[in-house]
Amino acid sequence: MPIRFTRALMREPPATVMEGLRAIDRGAPDPDRLRAEHAAYAAALHEAGLTVEILPPLDTHPDSLFLEDPALAFPEGAILLRPGAASRFGEAEALRPELESRFERVIALPGPGTVDGGDVLTPPSEGGVERVLIGLSERTDAAGAQALVQALAHLGKRGDIVRTPPGVLHFKSECAPLRPETVLATERLAASGVFDGLRVIRVPEGEEPAANTLAVNHLTLAPAGYPATAECLAAAGFTVREVAVREVEKLDAGLSCLSLRWDAAPRRGGPVEAA
Ligand code: CIR
């Protein structure tokens, strides 16, 4: 059974995108090529059957195209997060009206902690209370993670706090849900035991960035340039579409970061709630 999504929200790359945060310097991205990657990614989500909406650029926030980090989206509602990098903090507030007009429930995470959406993984399950993994990292602290556990409980979900391996920006830089009970993960994350009880497909050695893969409906979007991982996914029965992310990767980002995705019909709704 594939992971089902009907909607995706993206944000245009800002004019300031070259100033995006980079922990590892692989050179500044080329804005035109990055825009082309962004457009191809939107087209791939569309091909997977999603209705894709693209918000206008937020030039005050160079990393604002990575819409996965300031919020979480579930069929039951959205959660506005508190991003852990100072330059990204205002992104959540800018997203608030967009979520309020699309979700019946929007819960705003209370401070003082911080959480980046890139540290939050929902392994698809086949029923029962949905379990959400929250990886502590340099962006997601214990106070933020605890607040998120509470917020998730309001949506009927269980939050489990785990650790992101040292030196890894986001928990989801190293793993991705593929189908119920199955995740893709790097060897080091799989070895940490966080996925015990699930089937883990390991990313072939040397292709670790390919863990940032995106399973959407009948397609599995995989970052181009990692042939062993694409082969491994195809051998496991996934229909792989390779999507170029060479410029996006220069900003320490990948496929999952570029959109918020959820399975829901559009609904207009009420005000933001405090958790
Ligand atoms: C940042 O450092 O925040 C951005 N340059 C990259 C964010 C990538 N997001 C993600 O992995 N979820």
Side-chain angles (χ1 to χ4, degrees):
M1 195 175 67
I3 306 179
R4 193 182 126 86
F5 293 108
T6 56
R7 307 271 314 259
L9 199 57
M10 295 176 62
R11 192 181 282 288
E12 284 292 349
T16 50
V17 71
M18 305 81 69
E19 295 160 31
L21 295 171
R22 286 184 277 151
I24 302 164
D25 196 0
R26 305 177 181 94
D30 176 282
D32 292 334
R33 286 204 296 262
L34 187 138
R35 271 171 230 289
E37 289 181 359
H38 193 263
Y41 173 87
L45 288 183
H46 184 72
E47 185 192 349
L50 279 72
T51 300
V52 182
E53 291 177 276
I54 305 186
L55 301 174
L58 205 57
D59 290 340
T60 45
H61 292 82
D63 284 299
S64 53
L65 67 161
F66 304 122
L67 208 63
E68 175 180 72
D69 292 319
L72 300 175
F74 298 103
E76 299 84 358
I79 301 178
L80 266 179
L81 298 174
R82 295 170 49 84
S87 66
R88 303 202 59 186
F89 202 74
E91 291 178 30
E93 206 44 47
L95 204 50
R96 182 184 286 251
E98 307 295 348
L99 297 182
E100 284 177 331
S101 66
R102 290 170 177 83
F103 289 86
E104 196 166 304
R105 277 190 94 176
V106 178
I107 298 175
L109 201 71
T114 59
V115 178
D116 271 15
D119 284 321
V120 183
L121 176 95
T122 307
S125 64
E126 265 164 344
V129 174
E130 200 169 38
R131 179 171 171 240
V132 178
L133 298 180
I134 308 161
L136 296 175
S137 72
E138 296 209 347
R139 300 285 179 86
T140 296
D141 62 18
Q146 295 287 0
L148 183 55
V149 169
Q150 305 281 325
L152 288 165
H154 286 290
L155 298 179
K157 298 174 196 298
R158 189 181 104 201
D160 284 346
I161 302 173
V162 298
R163 246 175 213 291
T164 302
V168 175
L169 175 61
H170 284 124
F171 187 67
K172 275 195 294 190
S173 312
E174 298 254 331
C175 60
L178 288 177
R179 62 181 164 219
E181 318 299 342
T182 305
V183 294
L184 176 70
T186 59
E187 181 59 48
R188 69 172 158 180
L189 193 54
S192 76
V194 286
F195 298 126
D196 286 354
L198 296 174
R199 175 166 180 241
V200 181
I201 297 181
R202 286 172 160 74
V203 174
E205 200 185 333
E207 294 200 353
E208 284 70 19
N212 195 329
T213 280
L214 197 57
V216 276
N217 300 333
H218 61 291
L219 293 182
T220 298
L221 312 188
Y226 304 98
T229 306
E231 225 170 85
C232 172
L233 289 168
F238 295 94
T239 304
V240 177
R241 280 285 175 284
E242 292 190 56
V243 179
V245 283
R246 187 186 288 257
E247 301 306 312
V248 168
E249 283 179 342
K250 290 179 182 168
L251 292 171
D252 302 339
L255 293 172
S256 72
C257 328
L258 284 167
S259 62
L260 265 183
R261 306 154 300 276
W262 70 101
D263 177 12
R267 282 181 285 189
R268 292 194 64 81
V272 165
E273 297 168 26

